[in-house]
Amino acid sequence: MKEKLYRNMIELSNGKISSKILQQIAQSRLSKNFIRSYSQIYGINIQEVSKSPKEFTSLHDFFVRQLKEEVRPVDIRENIFTSPVDAKIEAFGNIEDQKMFTVKNKPYSLNDLMGNETQAKRYNNGKYIVFYLSPADYHRIHSPIDGVVKRQYILGQKSYPVNQMGLQYGKKPISHNYRMISEINYQKQHYTAFIKVGATFVNSIELTNTSTQWKKGEEVGYFAFGSTVVMLFEQNAIEFTENVTNGAKIKMGEAFATMV
């Protein structure tokens, strides 16, 4: 009953008009007056931000803020994958034989997520990790490894919430939302799928790096609203580091996996 009610409410509010209104409000000059209270409510560390709150033109401008370079050191070890975002680790584990993985007790299909059975097969029996970005988090996206972007494409049209209620009661938002999939070839012979998932009604995933050569830690894009990142790995390719536990917070640039 709760699940049906939640989905009906989200469908009623998730339209082009409501999404456009939300976007216009956040990008209006008047919205800059809410930056101070927004940062206080969410406990955002202003000292890490690259400029003062007064210099931002809107709440949206603050939401996609950049940080001072020194506050997010990147683990430069060659065999280490680093977190592409500031986030909470929502789920992680093994991808089962039928190309399935689980988030909040909901089974997800790699075929649905990737939109391509051939590419999904690459990650069968591999590993997955899900990073959830809250409204408080830094929303710039960085490369998790040195590599070559072999293919990049977009799937989905609408974006539903990927917060706790969204994952629990929503209709599998991770594999149905608007999402941008980047497949990165690293160390020449291995692949990882780097999937950026839109959320909160606004399909805004912006690329700031359009090259195919990505360096670990460099910025490649940003989310305009709440969001999630999913990463997939081939069988026997990585092991998660000890800091990877369900619900743990992780910062961009911190290690989360070691190459096998």
Side-chain angles (χ1 to χ4, degrees):
M1 181 65 182
K2 285 183 179 178
E3 192 166 305
K4 187 175 181 181
L5 179 62
Y6 175 83
R7 289 180 183 177
N8 288 338
M9 289 175 63
I10 291 297
E11 284 292 349
L12 285 171
S13 60
N14 189 2
K16 288 185 177 179
I17 295 175
S18 57
S19 297
K20 191 67 177 177
I21 291 172
L22 178 64
Q23 200 168 25
Q24 287 178 342
I25 291 172
Q27 293 177 345
S28 70
R29 296 192 69 83
L30 286 174
S31 68
K32 68 179 297 182
N33 296 320
F34 298 101
I35 291 174
R36 180 69 66 179
S37 57
Y38 181 90
S39 61
Q40 290 174 344
I41 289 169
Y42 287 107
I44 296 169
N45 185 354
I46 296 296
Q47 301 304 314
E48 293 184 337
V49 182
S50 61
K51 55 186 181 181
S52 72
K54 292 179 180 179
E55 294 178 90
F56 290 96
T57 59
S58 65
L59 183 58
H60 174 268
D61 188 28
F62 178 74
F63 190 85
V64 299
R65 62 194 175 276
Q66 293 179 308
L67 302 181
K68 296 172 183 175
E69 193 171 329
E70 67 273 14
V71 302
R72 292 292 183 275
V74 176
D75 191 320
I76 60 173
R77 289 176 288 174
E78 290 185 6
N79 66 329
I80 291 293
F81 278 89
T82 57
S83 179
V85 288
D86 280 12
K88 179 180 76 170
I89 297 171
E90 192 65 61
F92 69 98
N94 297 318
I95 298 167
E96 298 170 5
D97 189 49
Q98 298 302 313
K99 299 191 289 293
M100 302 293 291
F101 64 99
T102 304
V103 180
K104 291 295 180 185
N105 297 317
K106 285 185 181 291
Y108 282 87
S109 160
L110 287 190
N111 289 354
D112 288 344
L113 180 64
M114 301 287 290
N116 183 298
E117 186 173 359
T118 301
Q119 285 164 237
K121 191 181 295 184
R122 186 193 299 278
Y123 305 102
N124 198 27
N125 296 314
K127 294 184 184 295
Y128 75 96
I129 187 167
V130 180
F131 300 96
Y132 167 68
L133 288 77
S134 76
D137 287 319
Y138 165 64
H139 273 66
R140 296 272 166 169
I141 310 163
H142 297 253
S143 179
I145 199 69
D146 291 348
V148 179
V149 181
K150 287 295 188 179
R151 60 186 62 85
Q152 193 157 244
Y153 57 98
I154 289 172
L155 294 174
Q157 296 182 3
K158 286 188 175 183
S159 287
Y160 299 95
V162 289
N163 55 16
Q164 298 297 308
M165 287 188 67
L167 291 175
Q168 186 173 355
Y169 299 123
K171 192 176 181 180
K172 298 185 179 180
I174 289 175
S175 61
H176 287 83
N177 277 15
Y178 174 90
R179 57 203 183 278
M180 180 182 291
I181 300 170
S182 308
E183 278 207 288
I184 305 172
N185 177 221
Y186 65 95
Q187 291 194 333
K188 296 185 179 180
Q189 73 270 35
H190 293 295
Y191 282 82
T192 180
F194 183 28
I195 304 163
K196 287 78 67 187
V197 184
T200 319
F201 314 149
V202 181
N203 298 338
S204 189
I205 302 168
E206 302 291 342
L207 282 180
T208 56
N209 183 348
T210 56
S211 72
T212 57
Q213 294 281 345
W214 284 6
K215 292 291 184 184
K216 181 165 61 174
E218 73 176 353
E219 183 187 305
V220 296
Y222 63 84
F223 291 107
F225 280 82
S227 42
T228 291
V229 170
V230 181
M231 290 194 67
L232 309 175
F233 300 91
E234 297 165 302
Q235 185 176 11
N236 300 324
I238 62 106
E239 291 292 344
F240 293 115
T241 50
E242 291 182 358
N243 60 312
V244 174
T245 58
N246 283 324
K249 294 290 289 183
I250 192 167
K251 300 290 188 183
M252 189 286 292
E254 293 180 348
F256 74 88
T258 305
M259 296 178 197
V260 174

